[in-house]
Amino acid sequence: MERTPEIFEKIEGYLTNTLPQEELIAFEKALATNQELQEEVEKHRMMHNVLGDQDTLDFKEKLARIGTTIKEEEKKIVTTSSFSLYWKVAASILIVFGAGTLYWYISKSQNKTQNLYGSYYQAFPAEDNTRGNTTNEIQKVIKQYTNGVYDSVVIALENYPNLETQKRLQLYLGNSYLNLGQEKKAINQFTAISETDRYYEIGQWYLSLSYLKLNKPKKTIPILEEIIAYNGVYKAKAMKLLKELRK
């Protein structure tokens, strides 16, 4: 795929929800079938998330303050030109070191969370679509979900009436969003499952993974702690993942 300014603008518009409706529909259709485009969107999304993470922002701010201090010190140097040159060299080294360190920090953060996401994520299993209490329409959606045709699942369930009363379908929709790289929409589905619902713990587990995929471990951790306190079937997984995140 050729990386053109137009493609970059569309990706940024997609991630910031500023694309016109017609362009959004066309872009999502292309995204569903174009793996290179999916990878490019994921790169943009990861950079957005990492650069917006508070730890990274604090780290960048520290580098900027150090660089500013050195420049101010350099201006105060009024002795020999050789001594002034020393400060220029020192400042240059710091800038290179800072940029390299920042790149390392970002890469390490991305790699850790993405590797953990890959290790822990498994799509929520679909129920038996031969059950008698499901309509033909839902049986078709379940089959598409099982076969990984997530774009079709999204199209069907986004327009499904009274979806908010069908929590299992919300889990299918949320997982489909996750697999299409639409984490924010997935989060909306998982957070819509209330504490009184029998699918609550499952929703919380996939909510934690959604934030993990977005490289936001600070949001993942309290959700995992809640899952552990809930003491349900996901407790062991949550404890293991939490331990990995705290290393």
Side-chain angles (χ1 to χ4, degrees), residues 204 207-213 215-227 241-242 245:
Q204 289 296 292
L207 180 62
S208 72
L209 293 180
S210 299
Y211 283 121
L212 188 65
K213 191 178 180 187
N215 195 39
K216 294 184 177 180
K218 284 189 174 182
K219 289 196 173 183
T220 300
I221 288 172
I223 299 171
L224 292 175
E225 291 173 338
E226 185 177 345
I227 293 171
L241 177 53
L242 184 60
L245 282 172

Side-chain angles (χ1 to χ4, degrees), residues 8 16 36 50 55 57 88 93-94 116 174 183 188 198 212-213:
F8 275 40
T16 56
E36 289 186 349
V50 172
D55 286 344
L57 291 173
K88 289 180 180 178
I93 291 172
L94 180 66
L116 285 174
E183 291 81 9
N188 289 337
R198 66 190 181 101
L212 188 65
K213 191 178 180 187

Side-chain angles (χ1 to χ4, degrees), residues 167 193-201 230:
K167 300 306 179 185
I193 302 176
S194 68
E195 289 186 50
T196 58
D197 195 281
R198 66 190 181 101
Y199 290 111
Y200 175 71
E201 184 193 14
Y230 191 84

